[in-house]
Amino acid sequence: MKLLDRYILKQFLGAFVFTVFIIVAVIVVIHYSDNADDFAEANLSAKEVAGYYLDYIPWIANYISPLTMFIATVFVTSKLAGRTEIIAILSSGISFKRMLVPYMTGAVVIAIGSLVLTGWVIPQSNKDRVAFEVKYLKSPYKFDKRNYHSQLAPDVYFYLTEYNNQEHKGQYFTLEKVRGTELVEKLTAQQILWDAEKKKWSLSNWKLHHLEGYSEKIEKGIAMDTALAIHPSEFENDYKRYDAMTIPELEAHITKLHIRGATNVAEYEIEKYIRFTSPFAMLILTFLGVIVSSRKHRGGVGFQLALGFFLAFFYIVVFTFTKTIAQVDGFDPAFMVWIPNLIFAGVSVLMYRVLSR
């Protein structure tokens, strides 16, 4: 690595860390101001609140990293251009493409680190963060769905008339097993109750129907413990549950939701795709940031920073819009999540061709 590469890379990484620190500090202050009353109402100690923010800060820092990288790129490059250092670099025979190398090297390192963090590391701390927010910052959750149907396996169907998530108790339970188009087994119970010690469901006034052809065999009893492929946590508040899942856990959960015919599969698929598109967004926005700020402008650094913030805001608008559309039936979540990257990649290539003429 040449001296020039080290110089630009050092400036770039330093600006990135500084930008992340400043923006995260502002976000944390605003977040604390908005939730201070909730913390006080819950009688939380300073240690508990600090523990929450120790989990919150890595998540929010990684979440905003594509935009902070873009802002850092614009800031560093515009300063170099303002001091005519870029003109000197290009005049010395170094091409614009070669000048991009230290920027893209830094972007690749941060992007890989971000993928590892968001895919496997941060979800572990998010388990505590999400649990904290559900317990102290959100209203008490009540499962209010009636006539709840779910597919537990390709040939097993689950039904409850209603479920009380406070008492972990369900009414008028049915479990049906089919073979092809024929019902071969049907288990019913007036009530099911989760036994936390046994990690099983307790069935009251149950009846088991064995159906073979035109014959039927019935078993029944007052109480029975049984294991089902469903857990009380699935009736709890699913607020940002995907944030607390690693990529393998997300994929397994998506497969399970598809089997059950759930209606909220898209939000988990979107989260999975975002974790892969975000590192590419860092590379694209770094490339774009260098292009929009590499020329010395009469308006000075302030104009280029303003342009950078405008493009960052536009990226947020496009990202938010496509993410919302991706949740609508009929749209492919993978494609919709990639649209912001495709748009900004196209803009970057177009501007690069204009600049390199």
Side-chain angles (χ1 to χ4, degrees):
M1 183 176 286
K2 295 183 177 180
L3 180 62
L4 177 62
D5 294 326
R6 290 197 296 270
Y7 173 70
I8 294 178
L9 185 59
K10 181 179 178 181
Q11 296 276 327
F12 174 60
L13 294 178
F16 172 72
V17 172
F18 177 76
T19 305
V20 170
F21 177 80
I22 293 299
I23 294 180
V24 168
V26 172
I27 291 174
V28 168
V29 169
I30 295 173
H31 187 275
Y32 178 80
S33 299
D34 289 341
N35 296 283
D37 291 341
D38 293 323
F39 295 150
E41 186 178 342
N43 293 319
L44 296 175
S45 66
K47 182 178 179 180
E48 291 174 311
V49 174
Y52 165 70
Y53 280 107
L54 286 176
D55 293 328
Y56 179 82
I57 288 173
W59 171 75
I60 195 64
N62 186 77
Y63 185 78
I64 64 173
S65 55
L67 295 179
T68 51
M69 184 176 290
F70 178 71
I71 294 170
T73 303
V74 172
F75 178 74
V76 169
T77 311
S78 60
K79 284 182 64 178
L80 293 176
R83 296 194 298 256
T84 67
E85 291 181 72
I86 290 182
I87 294 176
I89 292 170
L90 298 178
S91 300
S92 67
I94 296 175
S95 67
F96 186 81
K97 186 183 297 185
R98 177 63 182 83
M99 191 188 72
L100 282 168
V101 171
Y103 286 101
M104 300 312 295
T105 300
V108 168
V109 171
I110 296 173
I112 293 174
S114 175
L115 177 61
V116 173
L117 287 173
T118 193
W120 289 271
V121 180
I122 292 179
Q124 302 302 330
S125 61
N126 275 346
K127 296 182 190 303
D128 293 332
R129 177 184 67 82
V130 172
F132 183 97
E133 292 177 356
V134 169
K135 185 175 182 179
Y136 298 115
L137 304 182
K138 299 297 174 183
S139 301
Y141 176 75
K142 181 180 180 181
F143 186 85
D144 56 2
K145 294 180 181 178
R146 294 184 61 85
N147 300 319
Y148 176 77
H149 294 263
S150 180
Q151 187 174 359
L152 303 186
D155 58 351
V156 179
Y157 297 86
F158 175 88
Y159 168 80
L160 278 175
T161 300
E162 58 182 271
Y163 183 84
N164 186 322
N165 64 297
Q166 307 297 323
E167 301 177 359
H168 306 304
K169 181 169 60 177
Q171 303 294 335
Y172 301 105
F173 156 81
T174 300
L175 188 71
E176 297 179 337
K177 184 176 182 180
V178 299
R179 185 182 300 133
T181 58
E182 295 184 4
L183 177 65
V184 296
E185 193 172 275
K186 181 177 181 179
L187 174 64
T188 62
Q190 185 174 349
Q191 178 180 284
I192 63 170
L193 178 67
W194 175 252
D195 191 320
E197 292 185 3
K198 297 179 180 178
K199 306 290 184 184
K200 290 184 178 182
W201 294 96
S202 296
L203 277 59
S204 301
N205 298 321
W206 60 272
K207 186 181 293 185
L208 179 60
H209 301 257
H210 297 279
L211 304 169
E212 291 292 340
Y214 294 101
S215 63
E216 178 180 5
K217 180 182 177 182
I218 300 177
E219 299 178 45
K220 54 185 177 180
I222 297 176
M224 176 176 67
D225 293 336
T226 185
L228 301 173
I230 194 166
H231 190 269
S233 61
E234 299 184 40
F235 299 99
E236 301 295 333
N237 192 343
D238 62 353
Y239 166 78
K240 291 188 176 181
R241 184 180 294 176
Y242 46 76
D243 276 349
M245 293 182 180
T246 62
I247 290 177
E249 289 171 342
L250 265 176
E251 292 176 341
H253 190 69
I254 289 169
T255 300
K256 182 173 71 174
L257 291 178
H258 275 299
I259 291 175
R260 296 184 178 180
T263 58
N264 62 336
V265 183
E267 62 181 283
Y268 290 90
E269 290 180 327
I270 291 169
E271 174 64 20
K272 184 184 77 170
Y273 296 132
I274 286 176
R275 295 190 188 185
F276 289 104
T277 59
S278 181
F280 285 97
M282 294 181 183
L283 303 181
I284 294 168
L285 292 175
T286 298
F287 182 59
L288 179 61
V290 176
I291 293 171
V292 300
S293 56
S294 59
R295 285 188 174 181
K296 190 172 183 178
H297 195 274
R298 290 182 180 180
V301 176
F303 172 81
Q304 290 168 314
L305 288 176
L307 177 61
F309 276 106
F310 171 77
L311 290 173
F313 174 76
F314 182 65
Y315 179 86
I316 293 173
V317 171
V318 175
F319 174 78
T320 304
F321 177 74
T322 55
K323 183 179 177 181
T324 302
I325 295 297
Q327 297 178 0
V328 179
D329 289 339
F331 290 92
D332 182 9
F335 174 71
M336 297 304 297
V337 168
W338 272 100
I339 285 180
N341 284 358
L342 296 175
I343 291 175
F344 276 77
V347 171
S348 300
V349 171
L350 180 62
M351 294 183 68
Y352 175 75
R353 288 183 176 179
V354 172
L355 185 66
S356 60
R357 287 179 181 176

